[in-house]
Amino acid sequence: MLKGKHLLEPMDFSVEELDEIFDLAERIIEDPQKYKHVCDGKLLATLFFEPSTRTRLSFEAAMLRLGGQVLGFSEASSSSIAKGESIADTVRTVAAYADIIVMRHPKEGAPRIGSGFSDIPLVNAGDGGHQHPTQTLTDLLTIRYTKQSFNNLTIGVCGDLKFGRTVHSLIKAMSRYPGNRFCLISPEELVIPEYVRKEVLQKNNITFREVRRLEDAIADLDVLYMTRVQRERFFNEEDYIRLKDSYILDADKMKLAKEDMIVLHPLPRVNEIAVEVDQDSRALYFKQARYGMYVRMALMMKLLGADEGGVN
Ligand code: NCD
């Protein structure tokens, strides 16, 4: 039963609960019209303390397409946080106005703290360099559509594995399914955090290898997950400039990959995928963004206890 729950990190939901969300998302994709009033009268509050295009707009589009309405702010400076209000007080207040809260925050753990003060579902839309569970729902739905299974896949994650929260959440989520292997492709300075290596990969006996060159790994992969170097989390600009173009996926590198490898990217893309790759049928990142809206429709319906007949 997902009604009333918070979503703070990928492991908050069981594999069965995730399947319920994906099944519903697929039903919505088949016939979106059928769902246009199921959240009539419901209000989504988006509390974005950090910039976002896709995540905020896809949540807003999702709620509007379900018949609900949205309110919120997209930068901390336009909220009472600028006056020194605590997260606890902001969440408590907004929970009195809305039916569901989506929160993005630059500090790791902020949505978890907020959820302790919310009697309505609160969804983490990205907390610093930590986790981003609804991007993972998006990634998993895209994998399910194309690979028909979450098992026995060789998944390459490439780029900023240190600060990339989408990567941390994806590895956690995919570690639960049998037979998956990871190839971690990053510069030395941007390797995966110790807690992911120890508490997720090693603890679950997952096979993984760490490589520096994309060319050395791409031929083995079923899924290639590209990421941007997370400029906003660097302490100095020089390091960012040195590392920002570590990997550029182009048509030549795609020639080394399997015919059915898929390329995912949470977006925004900076330089890490050459525009020429967009024409390749294996490049799914824009389709992935669309799935993101549908999976958020399914997620919010579940958390609000709505089904095809409306909110129960
Ligand atoms: C990601 C994020 O915010 O972590 N973007 C997104 O939600 N689609 C990835 C990124 O910013 O690089």
Side-chain angles (χ1 to χ4, degrees):
M1 191 60 174
L2 286 164
K3 186 176 175 183
K5 281 197 175 177
H6 304 304
L7 174 59
L8 303 170
E9 65 125 315
M11 307 306 253
D12 286 346
F13 295 169
S14 67
V15 166
E16 294 71 28
E17 287 171 329
L18 291 179
D19 282 340
E20 267 182 53
I21 295 172
F22 299 137
D23 290 343
L24 176 57
E26 289 187 8
R27 293 202 297 279
I28 297 173
I29 291 170
E30 274 159 31
D31 188 3
Q33 290 301 319
K34 201 168 146 191
Y35 297 84
K36 65 182 188 192
H37 291 299
V38 296
C39 285
D40 275 0
K42 291 290 165 188
L43 201 48
L44 160 68
T46 54
L47 312 186
F48 277 66
F49 298 88
E50 195 184 74
S52 161
T53 310
R54 246 150 309 268
T55 306
R56 185 170 57 83
L57 294 186
S58 68
F59 265 110
E60 293 188 2
M63 185 48 101
L64 294 170
R65 281 174 183 268
L66 294 171
Q69 290 179 289
V70 296
L71 81 179
F73 55 82
S74 53
E75 47 183 324
S77 60
S78 60
S79 75
S80 282
I81 303 299
K83 300 181 190 165
E85 189 177 48
S86 67
I87 289 174
D89 287 2
T90 304
V91 168
R92 233 185 228 143
T93 309
V94 174
Y97 304 151
D99 301 292
I100 182 165
I101 295 175
V102 174
M103 182 198 257
R104 169 170 288 193
H105 202 284
K107 285 220 177 77
E108 285 80 4
R112 183 172 295 282
I113 292 173
S115 70
F117 297 90
S118 176
D119 53 6
I120 62 173
L122 186 147
V123 176
N124 175 9
D127 59 328
H130 189 220
Q131 299 286 329
H132 193 346
T134 65
Q135 181 62 46
T136 301
L137 295 180
T138 304
D139 304 339
L140 264 61
L141 182 64
T142 314
I143 293 172
R144 179 165 135 149
Y145 251 103
T146 46
K147 298 285 175 196
Q148 277 80 46
S149 157
F150 294 132
N151 307 342
N152 303 316
L153 297 170
T154 301
I155 303 159
V157 284
C158 178
D160 188 345
L161 309 189
K162 180 178 180 187
F163 297 115
R165 56 194 173 195
T166 61
V167 167
H168 308 156
S169 289
L170 180 69
I171 293 177
K172 262 192 162 178
M174 290 304 285
S175 295
R176 283 211 282 202
Y177 300 97
N180 290 328
R181 295 163 299 276
F182 290 95
C183 191
L184 310 175
I185 309 153
S186 76
E188 180 76 44
E189 293 91 333
L190 298 177
V191 295
I192 201 88
E194 228 13 57
Y195 84 91
V196 179
R197 189 193 315 261
K198 288 223 167 83
E199 288 162 36
V200 183
L201 295 168
Q202 291 172 350
K203 196 167 155 192
N204 296 304
N205 288 318
I206 312 275
T207 308
F208 70 97
R209 65 186 180 114
E210 300 193 74
V211 300
R212 299 282 163 257
R213 281 167 31 101
L214 179 54
E215 298 86 319
D216 295 341
I218 195 166
D220 297 333
L221 307 177
D222 300 306
V223 177
L224 171 58
Y225 196 89
M226 294 296 294
T227 62
R228 144 187 99 85
V229 174
Q230 306 277 302
R231 179 181 204 159
E232 65 277 30
R233 317 234 181 265
F234 275 70
F235 293 111
N236 69 67
E237 186 73 3
E238 276 158 44
D239 286 348
Y240 169 71
I241 291 168
R242 186 166 47 81
L243 294 168
K244 74 181 171 64
D245 293 327
S246 298
Y247 301 101
I248 299 179
L249 179 65
D250 57 16
D252 279 344
K253 292 197 187 88
M254 287 299 285
K255 287 190 190 131
L256 305 172
K258 290 185 193 171
E259 290 280 298
D260 64 348
M261 182 192 81
I262 57 171
V263 184
L264 304 183
H265 191 307
L267 304 175
R269 147 177 66 182
V270 186
N271 278 330
E272 57 283 349
I273 303 181
V275 175
E276 64 192 20
V277 177
D278 299 357
Q279 317 308 323
D280 194 306
S281 60
R282 295 168 291 182
L284 294 190
Y285 26 93
F286 290 111
K287 213 178 218 177
Q288 183 186 357
R290 193 162 170 79
Y291 286 151
M293 177 184 72
Y294 288 119
V295 87
R296 289 178 173 105
M297 289 169 78
L299 171 69
M300 288 193 288
M301 280 181 66
K302 289 285 175 192
L303 299 183
L304 290 168
D307 60 20
E308 275 77 354
V311 177
N312 295 308

